[in-house]
Each structure stands twice: as C-alpha cells, then as structure tokens.
Amino acid sequence: MFSTSFSRLFTLCSALASLSVGLAAPHTPRAQVPTGPKFVIYTDAQIGDGSSVLPPLDQIQGFNVVNLAFLLTSGPADQVAKWAALPADQRQQLKQQYNSAGVSLVVSAFGETEHPTSQDPTTVANNLAQFVLNTDLDGIDIDYEEFELVVQQPGVGEAWLTTLTQTLRQQLPQGQFILSHAPVGPWFQPTFCPGGCYITIDKNVGSLIDYYNIQFYNQSPSPGYEDCNTLLNSAGGSSIFEIQKNGVDVNKLVIGKPGTTADITNGGFIDPATLGTCIQQAVQGGWNAGVMAFQFPHADTTWLSAVKGSSFAA
C-alpha cells in the first residue's frame, strides 16, 4: 500500500510500546469473522486532529472490516501504534462497539516500507499473532510488497509467505480469526513471477486464507485496471475472471481500489460511480467477494454507497 509516514518519526517508541503489549497476560479474545461479501477499509492516515484511532462508525457505514495500518516487524506504526497505546479496557470497549455494529478490527502487517523476507517467517508470524491476541483484534492482513525479490529470487517469497501463513493459522485458528492477504493484481498472473507468486501461494495455503484484498492499482500503464474490462476480463491473466480461470476461488477476490488519486502513486483510480458499474458486471458474472478501499477518509460511506449501488443484497 502507498502509506503515510507521519508516525515513522516515533517508530522506536512504537516498538517499545509493542514490546510492553507483548508482555501482557496472554488471552484469547472473541474475534468476529464476517460472512458473505467483505467491505474493507484501510486506515493509515491521521484521522482528524490525530486523537482518533478508528474511523467513526457513522462515516464508514456499509464497511464490515477495518484494517489498521501498519504493523511492522519493529513494532506498530501509524494507526496501529495508536491502537496499541490505548489502555486495554478502552481497546476492549472499542472492539465491542465496532463488533456490535458488524465491523471487524484487523491489523495490516508490513506495507510498502517493510521488506521482512530476510527474517525467519516462523518467528515473524508468532510475533504478529501474539500482537493480535494481546491487543483485542479480530485478525491480521498480510500486505507483502517485496516486488524485486519475487522476480529476482524465484520461490523465495512464495516459500516465506507459505510458512508465515501456516504459522499464523496455528496461532489464529480459521473461523475464529480473519487471515487475509493483500497482493497486487499482477501477482496472480501465471507468468509474472518465475516462482508463481500468488498462484503458488494459493495452491500452497489458499485454504488457510479467508480472502485476498487485491490491490488493483499502482500498475500503470499496463494493465492499469482503470476500466471495467481490465479490472474484470482482460489484463494479461490478472483480471478478476482471469484469476478465477487460473484456479483461485472467485469469491475470495476482493476488489481493491483507492479512495482518491491521493492514495496512489501509479494509476488505477476509477471514480466511484463508474466503479459501481464494474461491480455490477462482476456480480452478474458470478463474483460476490466484496470491495476494499485504501483509504479512510478519502473512502467512506458515500464512496462505498456509490460503488455498491444495488449490486449486493441488503
């Protein structure tokens, strides 16, 4: 993801906060795992005056998953750091409030600034899972973005992510915690990566992954994903229905788009009304996975209402 960096200045403090959280008495929170289509909103940028940790519920009606960004191997940053810094009773109250409104709270790991493959995947996964357990979250999203490595070192990233996912599931059982991944669209194209990228990962551990928040943006000029055809039907093997033909469950393929052009660095924006027509076409074609937006506040209830239209059952 194209991330903000306002809290990177105090990453060290965040890491220390993470360490203290990790020493809390272990417990298993009651996580909420939504059924049906997933409507996911990332929150990384500062909200308002900076005092808020979560997007206000009245501004994200219709979304059922909030992905707090980002958890790094060095500790929490940005909105995740704010979540970790809250007193435990306040976190639990917020979790109950959002879960009662039908919204699950998930932490997103890594992002564009983190290249974790040099570290042991089992250790990394255990640390990530412990953060979820200790900070009252409903699951974890893996936003792995080692673009050069997957091309230059065939199989290395795929093996690392396979072990990471398997270890996460040992700590965060399926049906009790959300485990999603957030790959870029081209990583589902069979010939894009010598090691297969997410075609390989899906074959290895796809049964352990609840859904994919696919980043259909920052891929200009080709395939771009800036119209319904390249998004759904023809993108060299990485459009929604091409990915389905490549053997991936179509209803795990959540369509990810930026809220505005400010949330991307290299194309992929489709205005919400036009995107809504693409979504309608996808539903008519048998897809029902849902929509992901990066990020609040540029994407909100108004954005989602335009995108969903009448395509999904109430």
Side-chain angles (χ1 to χ4, degrees):
M1 301 288 180
F2 170 61
S3 64
T4 55
S5 59
F6 70 94
S7 68
R8 298 292 195 269
L9 296 174
F10 51 89
T11 297
L12 178 59
C13 295
S14 299
L16 293 174
S18 165
L19 189 59
S20 64
V21 167
L23 295 174
H27 64 285
T28 303
R30 180 174 178 174
Q32 177 162 300
V33 181
T35 59
K38 312 302 185 290
F39 299 103
V40 183
I41 182 76
Y42 280 80
T43 175
D44 180 41
Q46 178 173 300
I47 298 172
D49 63 3
S51 61
S52 296
V53 175
L54 298 172
L57 282 169
D58 63 354
Q59 296 182 37
I60 57 166
Q61 290 181 11
F63 287 101
N64 56 17
V65 181
V66 170
N67 279 3
L68 289 149
F70 283 100
L71 178 59
L72 310 178
T73 56
S74 58
D78 302 346
Q79 293 304 99
V80 183
K82 292 183 177 181
W83 176 259
L86 291 174
D89 59 346
Q90 188 175 351
R91 284 198 307 268
Q92 291 159 12
Q93 289 170 4
L94 282 169
K95 176 176 164 25
Q96 182 177 14
Q97 178 188 3
Y98 278 70
N99 284 178
S100 295
V103 179
S104 299
L105 301 179
V106 171
V107 65
S108 185
F110 309 141
E112 68 170 354
T113 64
E114 175 95 285
H115 291 173
T117 314
S118 61
Q119 302 182 49
D120 176 64
T122 300
T123 300
V124 171
N126 283 328
N127 289 340
L128 296 177
Q130 198 61 51
F131 184 89
V132 171
L133 294 170
N134 285 343
T135 60
D136 309 290
L137 291 164
D138 293 305
I140 190 161
D141 172 68
I142 301 302
D143 181 10
Y144 178 89
E145 300 197 14
E146 293 224 34
F147 299 116
E148 293 183 3
L149 181 142
V150 297
V151 173
Q152 297 174 0
Q153 300 182 47
V156 173
E158 291 87 347
W160 194 89
L161 283 167
T162 294
T163 299
L164 182 90
T165 301
Q166 291 168 333
T167 307
L168 284 169
R169 266 301 178 222
Q170 291 170 7
Q171 302 296 326
L172 306 173
Q174 201 154 21
Q176 298 180 40
F177 293 89
I178 295 169
L179 173 53
S180 60
H181 282 226
V184 295
W187 281 1
F188 283 103
Q189 182 179 330
T191 59
F192 189 86
C193 300
C197 277
Y198 265 82
I199 296 297
T200 298
I201 292 162
D202 186 72
K203 288 177 181 177
N204 291 348
V205 289
S207 62
L208 303 180
I209 298 169
D210 292 312
Y211 53 91
Y212 298 104
N213 292 309
I214 305 179
Q215 299 181 53
F216 286 113
Y217 49 91
N218 289 337
Q219 302 300 321
S220 290
S222 179
Y225 309 116
E226 294 183 341
D227 56 61
C228 296
N229 186 50
T230 52
L231 181 62
L232 303 180
N233 303 307
S234 181
S238 65
S239 66
I240 286 292
F241 293 116
E242 287 176 315
I243 296 171
Q244 180 185 25
K245 291 176 182 177
N246 295 336
V248 183
D249 183 351
V250 71
N251 284 318
K252 285 189 176 184
L253 308 180
V254 176
I255 293 176
K257 280 293 183 181
T260 69
T261 55
D263 297 310
I264 52 177
T265 58
N266 191 30
F269 175 75
I270 300 178
D271 72 86
T274 301
L275 181 57
T277 66
C278 303
I279 297 301
Q280 185 177 38
Q281 291 176 35
V283 171
Q284 291 170 347
W287 167 94
N288 197 46
V291 177
M292 174 271 280
F294 188 83
Q295 61 176 318
F296 185 83
H298 296 147
D300 57 11
T301 297
T302 301
W303 184 94
L304 184 61
S305 296
V307 171
K308 290 172 68 174
S310 59
S311 295
F312 298 91

